[in-house]
Amino acid sequence: MFGDNLKKYRIEKGYSQNDLAEKLFVTRQCVSKWEKGVTQPDLQTLSKISELLGVSADELIADCGGECQTKAADKSMFLFVMNIIVAAFCVIAFLILWRFLPSRIPAHWTHGAIDRYGSRNEIFINLVTVAVFLVTDLIMFFALKRLSDKRVVYVCHIVFILCQIANFILIFALYDEYLSDDISVATCWVADIFGCLSVAMHPKINKQNCFLGIRTVETLKSKTVWKKANALACYLFSACSVVVFVANMSVIFEYSYLCLLAYLVLAVVVIVYAKKVKE
């Protein structure tokens, strides 16, 4: 598609949308619309773009075909996997709430006033909401798979991820004041977050130069080093998260937050490994 090709060659040339717009004497919004596929330039402008970017007009209008479809599918799958990971975080977070809540908790409110108390086991009712968001996203994933405008698919995934997060924040806000031992709770949640993030940074899920991952000179220069270093980080951080989580869920102790220093030690281990690993 022309829009995808234009964006690709513009970035390779080091031009921003503003830079290209100024050289073509058009607005940045005009360039943005070209790249989004909303509009297309006339033949004369296409020729100027070709000269500026140092590529032929045929290359600009060539259909990227399977490669573009593969990239779009990978991105859609990545977002769906992120939703699964966020859902897993919510499930573990509700388990943490259950552990540190008293046996009797508020179960229903009317106009902001508590009108019923129930067992803390009722906290797990919220797992139904997590499952509904996840299943709905799965249905949307397959239903919109053949849709040509992938932005709609991406937005759907992101909306469901945000819904999962908003649901957790709401439940946490309702029960925060009833939680005992804030330090242990915080330590367990940090372990929950790091555990989910460590899974998300695995190279099979997170490609090179994405936001997540161990980003060093070595990992950013080599895909092989990136894969090996981040695979190791994933396994080490995941194992550490399990140990920290189980320890703090089982035994409450005053300096539980010191367990989190283990992540710093493991990060140093991975960075050293990245410097020594061979391609």
Side-chain angles (χ1 to χ4, degrees):
M1 298 293 288
F2 170 73
D4 295 322
N5 294 333
L6 175 61
K7 183 177 181 179
K8 172 187 173 183
Y9 292 123
R10 172 179 64 76
I11 293 174
E12 287 181 358
K13 196 71 174 178
Y15 291 153
S16 66
Q17 288 185 343
N18 275 328
D19 294 335
L20 188 60
E22 288 176 2
K23 293 179 183 297
L24 295 172
F25 301 102
V26 297
T27 64
R28 187 199 64 78
Q29 288 78 9
C30 183
V31 175
S32 177
K33 287 182 179 180
W34 291 341
E35 293 186 355
K36 291 178 180 178
V38 178
T39 60
Q40 290 192 352
D42 55 36
L43 292 176
Q44 185 177 0
T45 306
L46 180 63
S47 178
K48 290 181 180 178
I49 295 173
S50 175
E51 289 180 22
L52 285 171
L53 300 182
V55 294
S56 67
D58 288 339
E59 288 177 294
L60 281 172
I61 62 176
D63 188 356
C64 60
E67 182 182 352
C68 290
Q69 291 179 0
T70 301
K71 287 182 179 179
D74 287 346
K75 188 173 181 181
S76 180
M77 177 58 76
F78 173 77
L79 289 172
F80 178 64
V81 171
M82 287 300 103
N83 195 4
I84 295 175
I85 291 173
V86 171
F89 163 80
C90 291
V91 171
I92 297 171
F94 290 141
L95 183 61
I96 296 169
L97 282 176
W98 175 85
R99 167 66 178 83
F100 293 99
L101 281 172
S103 58
R104 301 287 291 175
I105 60 172
H108 192 269
W109 290 260
T110 299
H111 304 300
I114 302 170
D115 59 12
R116 185 175 74 84
Y117 285 83
S119 168
R120 65 179 180 177
N121 294 335
E122 292 189 33
I123 199 75
F124 293 120
I125 294 175
N126 295 286
L127 295 180
V128 175
T129 307
V130 173
V132 168
F133 284 137
L134 195 56
V135 171
T136 306
D137 192 28
L138 178 63
I139 294 171
M140 296 295 288
F141 174 74
F142 287 107
L144 301 177
K145 201 170 184 179
R146 297 181 180 277
L147 198 66
S148 58
D149 190 352
K150 295 302 179 184
R151 289 173 296 179
V152 176
V153 183
Y154 304 153
V155 169
C156 286
H157 286 311
I158 292 170
V159 166
F160 284 113
I161 290 172
L162 293 177
C163 285
Q164 294 278 26
I165 296 172
N167 179 54
F168 163 70
I169 292 174
L170 174 62
I171 302 305
F172 171 70
L174 288 174
Y175 294 107
D176 177 43
E177 62 181 298
Y178 303 99
L179 291 170
S180 61
D181 204 289
D182 291 341
I183 294 177
S184 292
V185 172
T187 304
C188 285
W189 270 333
V190 170
D192 185 10
I193 292 170
F194 270 95
C196 292
L197 288 178
S198 63
V199 173
M201 75 164 59
H202 194 284
K204 288 187 176 180
I205 298 174
N206 178 41
K207 305 299 181 182
Q208 189 175 10
N209 294 327
C210 286
F211 175 72
L212 296 173
I214 302 297
R215 300 170 62 86
T216 66
V217 174
E218 291 77 19
T219 59
L220 293 178
K221 278 185 177 180
S222 168
K223 287 186 178 181
T224 302
V225 177
W226 172 274
K227 290 179 180 179
K228 289 182 177 179
N230 281 284
L232 176 64
C234 172
Y235 301 138
L236 290 178
F237 289 167
S238 296
C240 181
S241 295
V242 171
V243 172
V244 172
F245 177 79
V246 172
N248 282 276
M249 290 285 282
S250 304
V251 182
I252 297 175
F253 52 101
E254 186 176 357
Y255 299 104
S256 59
Y257 59 88
L258 293 177
C259 295
L260 301 178
L261 292 176
Y263 290 107
L264 182 60
V265 175
L266 293 178
V268 173
V269 170
V270 175
I271 292 172
V272 172
Y273 172 78
K275 290 182 179 296
K276 294 183 178 297
V277 68
K278 295 181 180 180
E279 296 191 32

